[in-house]
Amino acid sequence: MIICMSTRKNLKARGTVPSILVIDDEVAFADYLCRGLSYEGYKVTAAQNAEEGWDLILLSNPDLVILDVGLPDVDGISLCRSLRLERHQMPILMLTARINVSDRVLGLNAGADDYLPKPFAFDELIARISALLRRTGANGDQLCLGDLSLYSQERRIRRNDITISLTPKEFELLYLLFQHPRQIVPRETILSHVWGFEYEPESNVVEVYIRRLRKKLGPPNMIETAHGLGYILREPDRV
């Protein structure tokens, strides 16, 4: 069993952070999904077979299940059918390398809510997950800290009911800080997550973007500098 801790686990959000269970026996692929979905802000757990997956569903009742058809013990279609017979109603997104229409029809008839053939674009996976969670009302995409609100799906920021326009990199930087409220986010972590090591460690790009964010967010300042360590996002009354 693989446990992927969400980077938003400590976030004070107005909605809950959706939880996703990935059931796939390809360890490298499951790890890829775990890391990608965790970065998108979901709480993610992964199982490598149907038995593990069943136990985790009973234990944690995830908001959504990503289920591979080709499992080593029980095939994904049979597991999906069993879950529906037991009245588990969370959305199920099935993954498969099979491309026949009949295979997809079989999965949908077993109770799957959506079907995505491998290989797929990760952006399409995120879009399908968001659509499924919206149907159940489980997509807690509004994040709040003090008077600052971030809407992850719309990539929108509001403070004191005023919408603030950010560039894509500014949004990604603020989103990363939002994922670790009241905690030091190291400068190296910001470089790797927001810029993907495109810049040398000696670059001042982080400092430049922090200044831009502070200016756009306005007073009172919410982004504190931990000298020599990184940056902290706090509520205004704690700065």
Side-chain angles (χ1 to χ4, degrees):
M1 179 177 65
I2 305 170
I3 303 293
C4 294
M5 298 304 294
S6 168
T7 53
R8 271 168 52 180
K9 63 179 181 178
N10 294 318
L11 186 63
K12 297 293 185 182
R14 189 165 295 175
T16 58
V17 177
S19 59
I20 296 176
L21 171 62
V22 176
I23 307 177
D24 197 302
D25 64 320
E26 296 181 40
V27 177
F29 180 73
D31 182 63
Y32 160 75
L33 288 184
C34 258
R35 287 184 287 109
L37 293 172
S38 294
Y39 183 72
E40 290 295 322
Y42 297 105
K43 295 186 293 188
V44 191
T45 307
Q48 296 179 28
N49 55 56
E51 183 180 1
E52 269 190 310
W54 183 273
D55 289 343
L56 285 172
I57 288 170
L58 295 179
L59 179 67
S60 60
N61 190 30
D63 293 307
L64 181 140
V65 174
I66 297 176
L67 176 60
D68 185 54
V69 169
L71 298 175
D73 48 356
V74 176
D75 68 85
I77 291 174
S78 297
L79 176 58
C80 179
R81 185 179 296 112
S82 297
L83 288 170
R84 294 311 190 210
L85 288 173
E86 291 295 323
R87 302 187 184 277
H88 291 282
Q89 298 300 317
M90 78 286 289
I92 297 176
L93 171 60
M94 298 200 75
L95 304 179
T96 183
R98 305 172 189 173
I99 59 174
N100 294 332
V101 173
S102 59
D103 291 322
R104 280 179 278 177
V105 170
L106 193 61
L108 294 171
N109 285 340
D113 296 274
D114 201 355
Y115 216 100
L116 190 59
K118 298 177 181 178
F120 52 82
F122 191 76
D123 286 348
E124 182 180 2
L125 174 66
I126 294 300
R128 288 178 183 243
I129 288 172
S130 296
L132 290 173
L133 291 175
R134 279 197 298 271
R135 294 179 198 172
T136 62
N139 201 1
D141 68 329
Q142 182 180 354
L143 318 177
C144 301
L145 189 66
D147 57 3
L148 184 65
S149 298
L150 182 148
Y151 302 83
S152 59
Q153 298 299 320
E154 301 173 37
R155 298 181 70 84
R156 184 165 58 94
I157 297 292
R158 288 179 66 84
R159 189 172 189 188
N160 292 322
D161 295 324
I162 297 174
T163 298
I164 300 171
S165 177
L166 299 181
T167 67
K169 289 297 184 186
E170 289 169 348
F171 182 89
E172 289 176 31
L173 173 51
L174 184 59
Y175 187 29
L176 178 61
L177 295 175
F178 241 119
Q179 291 170 329
H180 303 272
R182 311 174 199 91
Q183 301 175 45
I184 296 174
V185 180
R187 185 177 179 280
E188 293 76 13
T189 299
I190 295 173
L191 273 174
S192 64
H193 279 74
V194 179
W195 282 274
F197 296 107
E198 293 177 14
Y199 289 82
E200 295 295 328
E202 294 78 14
S203 169
N204 70 338
V205 65
V206 175
E207 290 72 20
V208 170
Y209 274 77
I210 289 291
R211 286 197 297 269
R212 291 181 183 177
L213 275 179
R214 285 171 173 159
K215 183 176 180 180
K216 287 189 174 183
L217 295 179
N221 177 40
M222 294 185 68
I223 304 176
E224 176 184 330
T225 301
H227 294 287
L229 298 174
Y231 298 91
I232 308 168
L233 184 69
R234 298 186 188 275
E235 296 92 332
D237 59 352
R238 296 193 179 187
V239 176

